[in-house]
Amino acid sequence: MTATNKPAAGWLQALPRDRMLGEFSLWSADLCNMERDLARIEPHVDICHIDVADGHFAPALLFFPDLVARIRGLTRKPLHVHLMVQDSILLSQIEQFAEAGADLISIHVENAAVAEEALARIAELGVETGMVVRLETPLETVKPWLSKLAFVTLLGTAIGVKGVGLAEEACPRLQAVRAMLKEAGLEDSVRLASDGGNRHDTVPRLRAAGAETVVLGSLAFGDPDLAARMAWLHALPGPGEAA
Ligand SMILES: O=C(CO)[C@H](O)[C@H](O)COP(=O)(O)O
């Protein structure tokens, strides 16, 4: 595959709305065997999720543009870049990850001081716009931005960690944002995602609370049967649907 494998404009709107989608977090791939793992997930994954962290905004140092450009050449699936970086470098990171081939770039609501310019730039670059909310951040902070977004992600754990369980408040927070979207008439235009703590027992609860996509780390890369994992995910009943 080559860089020409980038999905066409409108890819996000073309994804089904009547079933839960699976984003796979490439942080949980075998980092020394990324090409092998990308080939294994290609027939199954809905969106590839790429965490970028600068060691300040979030504790880890994760992914960089040249690596994402290489990944772009190895997959036809959409690349969602989740930027966990300080305000001062946000715009430059947006430029670099868009150039590398990102299809959706999410910034944090906690980047509020530069968020307006950042979201405008993401859109100008022809990339879908997303925003992520840390677990401890009040949900009202995302409300003013909703009309500018195609994607909202709520963290279900502390920022920038993996291997930890879902926080109790994750499901009520999803329900609250789902209600906010409905009230604003944006339910059909903004997708709601949950990132962190996604396990076999927590994902059905997140789906019932209104999550439309979940970021899977070990639940995907540790599963020998991805076809069955995705069939399970796609069949989970949504809010108000019978189990
Ligand atoms: O992006 C993430 C954390 O920010 C993923 O949720 C992370 O890769 C989770 O891994 P796991 O589900 O194995 O804990």
Side-chain angles (χ1 to χ4, degrees):
M1 287 191 205
T2 68
T4 57
N5 290 316
K6 193 170 164 57
W11 64 268
L12 182 57
Q13 295 69 29
L15 286 173
R17 295 300 299 251
D18 58 351
R19 66 185 196 195
M20 177 84 112
L21 300 178
E23 292 185 57
F24 292 3
S25 172
L26 300 189
W27 186 17
S28 294
D30 178 341
L31 298 177
C32 287
N33 286 290
M34 182 64 80
E35 185 165 3
R36 180 202 67 191
D37 279 5
L38 284 169
R40 185 171 91 87
I41 69 173
E42 185 77 7
H44 308 289
V45 64
D46 292 312
I47 298 172
C48 292
H49 185 98
I50 300 175
D51 284 312
V52 173
D54 64 359
H56 296 278
F57 190 90
L61 272 174
L62 296 170
F63 287 78
F64 53 95
D66 277 356
L67 178 55
V68 172
R70 178 77 179 111
I71 290 167
R72 172 74 288 161
L74 296 172
T75 178
R76 290 190 176 89
K77 294 302 172 86
L79 300 181
H80 178 189
V81 170
H82 169 195
L83 291 177
M84 293 174 269
V85 303
Q86 289 181 327
D87 289 1
S88 57
I89 61 167
L90 186 64
L91 281 168
S92 138
Q93 296 295 300
I94 287 167
E95 302 284 343
Q96 292 180 53
F97 282 102
E99 173 71 25
D103 302 294
L104 162 64
I105 296 180
S106 287
I107 64 166
H108 265 263
V109 73
E110 299 83 10
N111 292 121
V114 290
E116 183 144 12
E117 195 181 356
L119 291 174
R121 189 63 190 135
I122 294 169
E124 269 170 26
L125 289 163
V127 176
E128 297 287 352
T129 52
M131 211 170 224
V132 184
V133 187
R134 290 172 75 137
L135 185 61
E136 68 278 17
T137 298
L139 293 173
E140 294 67 41
T141 56
V142 77
K143 203 170 181 176
W145 304 106
L146 292 176
S147 64
K148 297 180 188 296
L149 303 176
F151 216 86
V152 174
T153 303
L154 303 189
L155 295 188
T157 63
I159 192 169
V161 295
K162 60 178 178 174
V164 297
L166 188 73
E168 273 311 306
E169 57 269 42
C171 288
R173 283 169 65 85
L174 280 168
Q175 285 167 330
V177 174
R178 170 62 52 215
M180 219 181 257
L181 288 169
K182 193 170 181 181
E183 189 187 308
L186 295 168
E187 237 188 342
D188 293 336
S189 56
V190 183
R191 303 226 184 199
L192 185 54
S194 187
D195 181 4
N198 292 315
R199 304 286 176 264
H200 190 78
D201 61 327
T202 59
V203 170
R205 290 199 278 125
L206 292 162
R207 175 65 176 143
E212 298 177 279
T213 137
V214 276
V215 181
L216 305 182
S218 48
L219 199 58
F221 287 98
D223 193 328
D225 189 349
L226 286 177
R229 173 59 65 196
M230 291 306 279
W232 168 80
L233 189 78
H234 289 158
L236 290 173
E241 292 172 9

PDB file of all heavy atoms in Angstrom, residues 134-155:
ATOM      1  N   ARG A 134     -10.855  15.342  29.089  1.00  0.00           N
ATOM      2  CA  ARG A 134     -10.246  14.554  30.167  1.00  0.00           C
ATOM      3  C   ARG A 134     -11.307  14.149  31.174  1.00  0.00           C
ATOM      4  O   ARG A 134     -12.330  14.830  31.328  1.00  0.00           O
ATOM      5  CB  ARG A 134      -9.166  15.383  30.883  1.00  0.00           C
ATOM      6  CG  ARG A 134      -7.939  15.614  30.048  1.00  0.00           C
ATOM      7  CD  ARG A 134      -6.985  16.583  30.698  1.00  0.00           C
ATOM      8  NE  ARG A 134      -6.269  15.957  31.799  1.00  0.00           N
ATOM      9  CZ  ARG A 134      -4.958  16.107  32.020  1.00  0.00           C
ATOM     10  NH1 ARG A 134      -4.228  16.866  31.217  1.00  0.00           N
ATOM     11  NH2 ARG A 134      -4.387  15.529  33.028  1.00  0.00           N
ATOM     12  N   LEU A 135     -11.037  13.069  31.883  1.00  0.00           N
ATOM     13  CA  LEU A 135     -11.999  12.504  32.826  1.00  0.00           C
ATOM     14  C   LEU A 135     -12.423  13.498  33.904  1.00  0.00           C
ATOM     15  O   LEU A 135     -13.579  13.515  34.324  1.00  0.00           O
ATOM     16  CB  LEU A 135     -11.357  11.262  33.479  1.00  0.00           C
ATOM     17  CG  LEU A 135     -12.196  10.435  34.422  1.00  0.00           C
ATOM     18  CD1 LEU A 135     -13.422   9.847  33.723  1.00  0.00           C
ATOM     19  CD2 LEU A 135     -11.349   9.294  35.016  1.00  0.00           C
ATOM     20  N   GLU A 136     -11.514  14.349  34.327  1.00  0.00           N
ATOM     21  CA  GLU A 136     -11.797  15.257  35.439  1.00  0.00           C
ATOM     22  C   GLU A 136     -12.325  16.625  34.986  1.00  0.00           C
ATOM     23  O   GLU A 136     -12.645  17.480  35.819  1.00  0.00           O
ATOM     24  CB  GLU A 136     -10.537  15.443  36.306  1.00  0.00           C
ATOM     25  CG  GLU A 136      -9.386  16.198  35.651  1.00  0.00           C
ATOM     26  CD  GLU A 136      -8.507  15.327  34.739  1.00  0.00           C
ATOM     27  OE1 GLU A 136      -8.929  14.231  34.342  1.00  0.00           O
ATOM     28  OE2 GLU A 136      -7.396  15.787  34.402  1.00  0.00           O
ATOM     29  N   THR A 137     -12.436  16.833  33.684  1.00  0.00           N
ATOM     30  CA  THR A 137     -12.858  18.150  33.172  1.00  0.00           C
ATOM     31  C   THR A 137     -14.384  18.242  33.122  1.00  0.00           C
ATOM     32  O   THR A 137     -15.046  17.340  32.596  1.00  0.00           O
ATOM     33  CB  THR A 137     -12.267  18.367  31.760  1.00  0.00           C
ATOM     34  OG1 THR A 137     -10.852  18.359  31.867  1.00  0.00           O
ATOM     35  CG2 THR A 137     -12.724  19.679  31.169  1.00  0.00           C
ATOM     36  N   PRO A 138     -14.966  19.337  33.629  1.00  0.00           N
ATOM     37  CA  PRO A 138     -16.422  19.489  33.571  1.00  0.00           C
ATOM     38  C   PRO A 138     -16.929  19.442  32.123  1.00  0.00           C
ATOM     39  O   PRO A 138     -16.315  20.023  31.221  1.00  0.00           O
ATOM     40  CB  PRO A 138     -16.672  20.878  34.187  1.00  0.00           C
ATOM     41  CG  PRO A 138     -15.462  21.157  35.008  1.00  0.00           C
ATOM     42  CD  PRO A 138     -14.311  20.456  34.328  1.00  0.00           C
ATOM     43  N   LEU A 139     -18.038  18.740  31.917  1.00  0.00           N
ATOM     44  CA  LEU A 139     -18.535  18.523  30.547  1.00  0.00           C
ATOM     45  C   LEU A 139     -19.063  19.795  29.898  1.00  0.00           C
ATOM     46  O   LEU A 139     -19.093  19.893  28.669  1.00  0.00           O
ATOM     47  CB  LEU A 139     -19.627  17.455  30.571  1.00  0.00           C
ATOM     48  CG  LEU A 139     -19.124  16.055  30.955  1.00  0.00           C
ATOM     49  CD1 LEU A 139     -20.281  15.095  31.130  1.00  0.00           C
ATOM     50  CD2 LEU A 139     -18.134  15.537  29.913  1.00  0.00           C
ATOM     51  N   GLU A 140     -19.459  20.770  30.714  1.00  0.00           N
ATOM     52  CA  GLU A 140     -19.987  22.025  30.142  1.00  0.00           C
ATOM     53  C   GLU A 140     -18.937  22.686  29.247  1.00  0.00           C
ATOM     54  O   GLU A 140     -19.273  23.464  28.353  1.00  0.00           O
ATOM     55  CB  GLU A 140     -20.379  23.020  31.246  1.00  0.00           C
ATOM     56  CG  GLU A 140     -21.534  22.591  32.120  1.00  0.00           C
ATOM     57  CD  GLU A 140     -21.208  21.384  32.993  1.00  0.00           C
ATOM     58  OE1 GLU A 140     -20.088  21.329  33.542  1.00  0.00           O
ATOM     59  OE2 GLU A 140     -22.063  20.481  33.103  1.00  0.00           O
ATOM     60  N   THR A 141     -17.647  22.386  29.474  1.00  0.00           N
ATOM     61  CA  THR A 141     -16.595  23.061  28.701  1.00  0.00           C
ATOM     62  C   THR A 141     -16.631  22.669  27.221  1.00  0.00           C
ATOM     63  O   THR A 141     -16.118  23.401  26.377  1.00  0.00           O
ATOM     64  CB  THR A 141     -15.190  22.732  29.262  1.00  0.00           C
ATOM     65  OG1 THR A 141     -15.028  21.311  29.281  1.00  0.00           O
ATOM     66  CG2 THR A 141     -15.008  23.284  30.661  1.00  0.00           C
ATOM     67  N   VAL A 142     -17.215  21.502  26.908  1.00  0.00           N
ATOM     68  CA  VAL A 142     -17.213  21.081  25.500  1.00  0.00           C
ATOM     69  C   VAL A 142     -18.421  21.647  24.739  1.00  0.00           C
ATOM     70  O   VAL A 142     -18.421  21.720  23.504  1.00  0.00           O
ATOM     71  CB  VAL A 142     -17.146  19.531  25.396  1.00  0.00           C
ATOM     72  CG1 VAL A 142     -18.462  18.852  25.672  1.00  0.00           C
ATOM     73  CG2 VAL A 142     -16.607  19.098  24.029  1.00  0.00           C
ATOM     74  N   LYS A 143     -19.432  22.079  25.487  1.00  0.00           N
ATOM     75  CA  LYS A 143     -20.696  22.522  24.870  1.00  0.00           C
ATOM     76  C   LYS A 143     -20.500  23.604  23.799  1.00  0.00           C
ATOM     77  O   LYS A 143     -21.041  23.474  22.692  1.00  0.00           O
ATOM     78  CB  LYS A 143     -21.651  23.000  25.968  1.00  0.00           C
ATOM     79  CG  LYS A 143     -23.091  22.953  25.590  1.00  0.00           C
ATOM     80  CD  LYS A 143     -23.956  23.218  26.812  1.00  0.00           C
ATOM     81  CE  LYS A 143     -25.404  23.143  26.445  1.00  0.00           C
ATOM     82  NZ  LYS A 143     -26.276  23.311  27.613  1.00  0.00           N
ATOM     83  N   PRO A 144     -19.721  24.657  24.079  1.00  0.00           N
ATOM     84  CA  PRO A 144     -19.592  25.719  23.062  1.00  0.00           C
ATOM     85  C   PRO A 144     -18.929  25.268  21.768  1.00  0.00           C
ATOM     86  O   PRO A 144     -19.035  25.941  20.753  1.00  0.00           O
ATOM     87  CB  PRO A 144     -18.704  26.764  23.750  1.00  0.00           C
ATOM     88  CG  PRO A 144     -18.638  26.392  25.180  1.00  0.00           C
ATOM     89  CD  PRO A 144     -18.967  24.949  25.292  1.00  0.00           C
ATOM     90  N   TRP A 145     -18.241  24.126  21.793  1.00  0.00           N
ATOM     91  CA  TRP A 145     -17.488  23.691  20.619  1.00  0.00           C
ATOM     92  C   TRP A 145     -18.254  22.702  19.756  1.00  0.00           C
ATOM     93  O   TRP A 145     -17.844  22.397  18.628  1.00  0.00           O
ATOM     94  CB  TRP A 145     -16.166  23.036  21.064  1.00  0.00           C
ATOM     95  CG  TRP A 145     -15.312  23.911  21.914  1.00  0.00           C
ATOM     96  CD1 TRP A 145     -15.099  23.805  23.258  1.00  0.00           C
ATOM     97  CD2 TRP A 145     -14.566  25.046  21.490  1.00  0.00           C
ATOM     98  NE1 TRP A 145     -14.263  24.797  23.695  1.00  0.00           N
ATOM     99  CE2 TRP A 145     -13.921  25.578  22.629  1.00  0.00           C
ATOM    100  CE3 TRP A 145     -14.387  25.677  20.250  1.00  0.00           C
ATOM    101  CZ2 TRP A 145     -13.105  26.703  22.562  1.00  0.00           C
ATOM    102  CZ3 TRP A 145     -13.566  26.804  20.190  1.00  0.00           C
ATOM    103  CH2 TRP A 145     -12.949  27.307  21.329  1.00  0.00           C
ATOM    104  N   LEU A 146     -19.345  22.149  20.266  1.00  0.00           N
ATOM    105  CA  LEU A 146     -19.985  21.003  19.613  1.00  0.00           C
ATOM    106  C   LEU A 146     -20.330  21.240  18.146  1.00  0.00           C
ATOM    107  O   LEU A 146     -20.172  20.353  17.314  1.00  0.00           O
ATOM    108  CB  LEU A 146     -21.245  20.579  20.376  1.00  0.00           C
ATOM    109  CG  LEU A 146     -21.004  19.978  21.772  1.00  0.00           C
ATOM    110  CD1 LEU A 146     -22.331  19.678  22.468  1.00  0.00           C
ATOM    111  CD2 LEU A 146     -20.149  18.719  21.694  1.00  0.00           C
ATOM    112  N   SER A 147     -20.794  22.454  17.826  1.00  0.00           N
ATOM    113  CA  SER A 147     -21.233  22.705  16.448  1.00  0.00           C
ATOM    114  C   SER A 147     -20.060  22.723  15.465  1.00  0.00           C
ATOM    115  O   SER A 147     -20.258  22.706  14.260  1.00  0.00           O
ATOM    116  CB  SER A 147     -22.009  24.017  16.368  1.00  0.00           C
ATOM    117  OG  SER A 147     -21.140  25.070  16.708  1.00  0.00           O
ATOM    118  N   LYS A 148     -18.835  22.784  15.975  1.00  0.00           N
ATOM    119  CA  LYS A 148     -17.651  22.800  15.096  1.00  0.00           C
ATOM    120  C   LYS A 148     -17.022  21.418  14.957  1.00  0.00           C
ATOM    121  O   LYS A 148     -15.963  21.266  14.345  1.00  0.00           O
ATOM    122  CB  LYS A 148     -16.594  23.750  15.671  1.00  0.00           C
ATOM    123  CG  LYS A 148     -17.021  25.201  15.754  1.00  0.00           C
ATOM    124  CD  LYS A 148     -15.900  26.052  16.327  1.00  0.00           C
ATOM    125  CE  LYS A 148     -16.333  27.467  16.625  1.00  0.00           C
ATOM    126  NZ  LYS A 148     -16.738  28.240  15.457  1.00  0.00           N
ATOM    127  N   LEU A 149     -17.652  20.404  15.563  1.00  0.00           N
ATOM    128  CA  LEU A 149     -16.999  19.094  15.661  1.00  0.00           C
ATOM    129  C   LEU A 149     -17.731  18.011  14.877  1.00  0.00           C
ATOM    130  O   LEU A 149     -18.953  18.041  14.728  1.00  0.00           O
ATOM    131  CB  LEU A 149     -16.940  18.657  17.132  1.00  0.00           C
ATOM    132  CG  LEU A 149     -16.242  19.623  18.097  1.00  0.00           C
ATOM    133  CD1 LEU A 149     -16.355  19.100  19.514  1.00  0.00           C
ATOM    134  CD2 LEU A 149     -14.788  19.835  17.706  1.00  0.00           C
ATOM    135  N   ALA A 150     -16.946  17.031  14.422  1.00  0.00           N
ATOM    136  CA  ALA A 150     -17.515  15.817  13.841  1.00  0.00           C
ATOM    137  C   ALA A 150     -17.418  14.658  14.824  1.00  0.00           C
ATOM    138  O   ALA A 150     -18.071  13.628  14.640  1.00  0.00           O
ATOM    139  CB  ALA A 150     -16.765  15.461  12.560  1.00  0.00           C
ATOM    140  N   PHE A 151     -16.614  14.828  15.882  1.00  0.00           N
ATOM    141  CA  PHE A 151     -16.266  13.714  16.762  1.00  0.00           C
ATOM    142  C   PHE A 151     -15.969  14.258  18.158  1.00  0.00           C
ATOM    143  O   PHE A 151     -15.227  15.229  18.297  1.00  0.00           O
ATOM    144  CB  PHE A 151     -14.980  13.084  16.202  1.00  0.00           C
ATOM    145  CG  PHE A 151     -14.877  11.598  16.313  1.00  0.00           C
ATOM    146  CD1 PHE A 151     -15.419  10.768  15.348  1.00  0.00           C
ATOM    147  CD2 PHE A 151     -14.194  11.016  17.372  1.00  0.00           C
ATOM    148  CE1 PHE A 151     -15.282   9.388  15.430  1.00  0.00           C
ATOM    149  CE2 PHE A 151     -14.058   9.642  17.463  1.00  0.00           C
ATOM    150  CZ  PHE A 151     -14.604   8.824  16.485  1.00  0.00           C
ATOM    151  N   VAL A 152     -16.559  13.637  19.173  1.00  0.00           N
ATOM    152  CA  VAL A 152     -16.232  13.993  20.566  1.00  0.00           C
ATOM    153  C   VAL A 152     -15.841  12.709  21.290  1.00  0.00           C
ATOM    154  O   VAL A 152     -16.560  11.714  21.225  1.00  0.00           O
ATOM    155  CB  VAL A 152     -17.427  14.631  21.301  1.00  0.00           C
ATOM    156  CG1 VAL A 152     -17.106  14.847  22.772  1.00  0.00           C
ATOM    157  CG2 VAL A 152     -17.800  15.954  20.676  1.00  0.00           C
ATOM    158  N   THR A 153     -14.707  12.755  21.975  1.00  0.00           N
ATOM    159  CA  THR A 153     -14.230  11.584  22.719  1.00  0.00           C
ATOM    160  C   THR A 153     -14.139  11.931  24.202  1.00  0.00           C
ATOM    161  O   THR A 153     -13.557  12.958  24.574  1.00  0.00           O
ATOM    162  CB  THR A 153     -12.836  11.147  22.216  1.00  0.00           C
ATOM    163  OG1 THR A 153     -12.901  10.873  20.814  1.00  0.00           O
ATOM    164  CG2 THR A 153     -12.354   9.904  22.956  1.00  0.00           C
ATOM    165  N   LEU A 154     -14.718  11.081  25.032  1.00  0.00           N
ATOM    166  CA  LEU A 154     -14.579  11.238  26.485  1.00  0.00           C
ATOM    167  C   LEU A 154     -13.578  10.209  26.986  1.00  0.00           C
ATOM    168  O   LEU A 154     -13.697   9.016  26.668  1.00  0.00           O
ATOM    169  CB  LEU A 154     -15.921  11.026  27.196  1.00  0.00           C
ATOM    170  CG  LEU A 154     -17.096  11.910  26.764  1.00  0.00           C
ATOM    171  CD1 LEU A 154     -18.269  11.706  27.729  1.00  0.00           C
ATOM    172  CD2 LEU A 154     -16.716  13.376  26.715  1.00  0.00           C
ATOM    173  N   LEU A 155     -12.603  10.656  27.774  1.00  0.00           N
ATOM    174  CA  LEU A 155     -11.673   9.702  28.367  1.00  0.00           C
ATOM    175  C   LEU A 155     -12.368   8.963  29.506  1.00  0.00           C
ATOM    176  O   LEU A 155     -13.070   9.570  30.319  1.00  0.00           O
ATOM    177  CB  LEU A 155     -10.410  10.410  28.875  1.00  0.00           C
ATOM    178  CG  LEU A 155      -9.529  11.062  27.808  1.00  0.00           C
ATOM    179  CD1 LEU A 155      -8.219  11.552  28.435  1.00  0.00           C
ATOM    180  CD2 LEU A 155      -9.237  10.120  26.653  1.00  0.00           C
TER     181      LEU A 155
END
